[in-house]
PDB file of all heavy atoms in Angstrom:
ATOM      1  N   PHE Y1086       4.882  -4.026   9.175  1.00  0.00           N
ATOM      2  CA  PHE Y1086       5.919  -3.354   8.393  1.00  0.00           C
ATOM      3  C   PHE Y1086       7.113  -4.277   8.140  1.00  0.00           C
ATOM      4  O   PHE Y1086       7.599  -4.392   7.011  1.00  0.00           O
ATOM      5  CB  PHE Y1086       6.379  -2.094   9.115  1.00  0.00           C
ATOM      6  CG  PHE Y1086       7.527  -1.363   8.458  1.00  0.00           C
ATOM      7  CD1 PHE Y1086       7.302  -0.406   7.495  1.00  0.00           C
ATOM      8  CD2 PHE Y1086       8.837  -1.650   8.823  1.00  0.00           C
ATOM      9  CE1 PHE Y1086       8.355   0.254   6.885  1.00  0.00           C
ATOM     10  CE2 PHE Y1086       9.907  -0.996   8.212  1.00  0.00           C
ATOM     11  CZ  PHE Y1086       9.664  -0.043   7.244  1.00  0.00           C
ATOM     12  N   GLN Y1197       3.285   8.003  17.437  1.00  0.00           N
ATOM     13  CA  GLN Y1197       2.235   8.860  17.957  1.00  0.00           C
ATOM     14  C   GLN Y1197       2.600   9.330  19.365  1.00  0.00           C
ATOM     15  O   GLN Y1197       3.376   8.705  20.058  1.00  0.00           O
ATOM     16  CB  GLN Y1197       0.913   8.120  17.987  1.00  0.00           C
ATOM     17  CG  GLN Y1197       0.409   7.663  16.622  1.00  0.00           C
ATOM     18  CD  GLN Y1197      -0.154   8.810  15.792  1.00  0.00           C
ATOM     19  OE1 GLN Y1197      -0.522   9.840  16.333  1.00  0.00           O
ATOM     20  NE2 GLN Y1197      -0.209   8.603  14.486  1.00  0.00           N
ATOM     21  N   HIS Y1208      10.671  14.714  13.553  1.00  0.00           N
ATOM     22  CA  HIS Y1208      11.554  14.494  12.423  1.00  0.00           C
ATOM     23  C   HIS Y1208      10.889  14.719  11.063  1.00  0.00           C
ATOM     24  O   HIS Y1208      11.537  15.066  10.106  1.00  0.00           O
ATOM     25  CB  HIS Y1208      12.095  13.059  12.460  1.00  0.00           C
ATOM     26  CG  HIS Y1208      12.665  12.671  13.784  1.00  0.00           C
ATOM     27  ND1 HIS Y1208      12.659  11.401  14.245  1.00  0.00           N
ATOM     28  CD2 HIS Y1208      13.247  13.421  14.745  1.00  0.00           C
ATOM     29  CE1 HIS Y1208      13.222  11.356  15.445  1.00  0.00           C
ATOM     30  NE2 HIS Y1208      13.576  12.569  15.767  1.00  0.00           N
ATOM     31  N   GLY Y1214      -0.990  12.135  15.236  1.00  0.00           N
ATOM     32  CA  GLY Y1214      -2.345  11.761  14.936  1.00  0.00           C
ATOM     33  C   GLY Y1214      -2.522  11.281  13.516  1.00  0.00           C
ATOM     34  O   GLY Y1214      -1.704  10.563  12.954  1.00  0.00           O
ATOM     35  N   LEU Y1217       0.284  11.991  10.757  1.00  0.00           N
ATOM     36  CA  LEU Y1217       1.437  11.106  10.797  1.00  0.00           C
ATOM     37  C   LEU Y1217       1.086   9.713  10.255  1.00  0.00           C
ATOM     38  O   LEU Y1217       1.831   9.147   9.464  1.00  0.00           O
ATOM     39  CB  LEU Y1217       1.974  10.980  12.224  1.00  0.00           C
ATOM     40  CG  LEU Y1217       3.162  10.042  12.440  1.00  0.00           C
ATOM     41  CD1 LEU Y1217       4.372  10.525  11.646  1.00  0.00           C
ATOM     42  CD2 LEU Y1217       3.526   9.969  13.923  1.00  0.00           C
ATOM     43  N   ILE Y1220       1.138   9.176   6.328  1.00  0.00           N
ATOM     44  CA  ILE Y1220       2.321   9.407   5.510  1.00  0.00           C
ATOM     45  C   ILE Y1220       2.486   8.272   4.508  1.00  0.00           C
ATOM     46  O   ILE Y1220       2.478   7.088   4.865  1.00  0.00           O
ATOM     47  CB  ILE Y1220       3.580   9.514   6.392  1.00  0.00           C
ATOM     48  CG1 ILE Y1220       3.596  10.850   7.117  1.00  0.00           C
ATOM     49  CG2 ILE Y1220       4.856   9.402   5.532  1.00  0.00           C
ATOM     50  CD1 ILE Y1220       4.806  11.031   8.007  1.00  0.00           C
ATOM     51  N   TRP Y1275       5.403   7.220  30.834  1.00  0.00           N
ATOM     52  CA  TRP Y1275       4.023   6.843  30.477  1.00  0.00           C
ATOM     53  C   TRP Y1275       3.970   5.451  29.846  1.00  0.00           C
ATOM     54  O   TRP Y1275       3.061   4.653  30.114  1.00  0.00           O
ATOM     55  CB  TRP Y1275       3.468   7.895  29.537  1.00  0.00           C
ATOM     56  CG  TRP Y1275       2.116   7.620  28.952  1.00  0.00           C
ATOM     57  CD1 TRP Y1275       0.909   7.713  29.587  1.00  0.00           C
ATOM     58  CD2 TRP Y1275       1.826   7.245  27.600  1.00  0.00           C
ATOM     59  NE1 TRP Y1275      -0.112   7.415  28.700  1.00  0.00           N
ATOM     60  CE2 TRP Y1275       0.427   7.122  27.479  1.00  0.00           C
ATOM     61  CE3 TRP Y1275       2.629   7.008  26.468  1.00  0.00           C
ATOM     62  CZ2 TRP Y1275      -0.203   6.780  26.281  1.00  0.00           C
ATOM     63  CZ3 TRP Y1275       2.010   6.671  25.278  1.00  0.00           C
ATOM     64  CH2 TRP Y1275       0.610   6.555  25.191  1.00  0.00           C
TER      65      TRP Y1275
END
Side-chain angles (χ1 to χ4, degrees):
F1086 175 88
Q1197 297 285 339
H1208 310 151
L1217 178 61
I1220 286 179
W1275 174 75

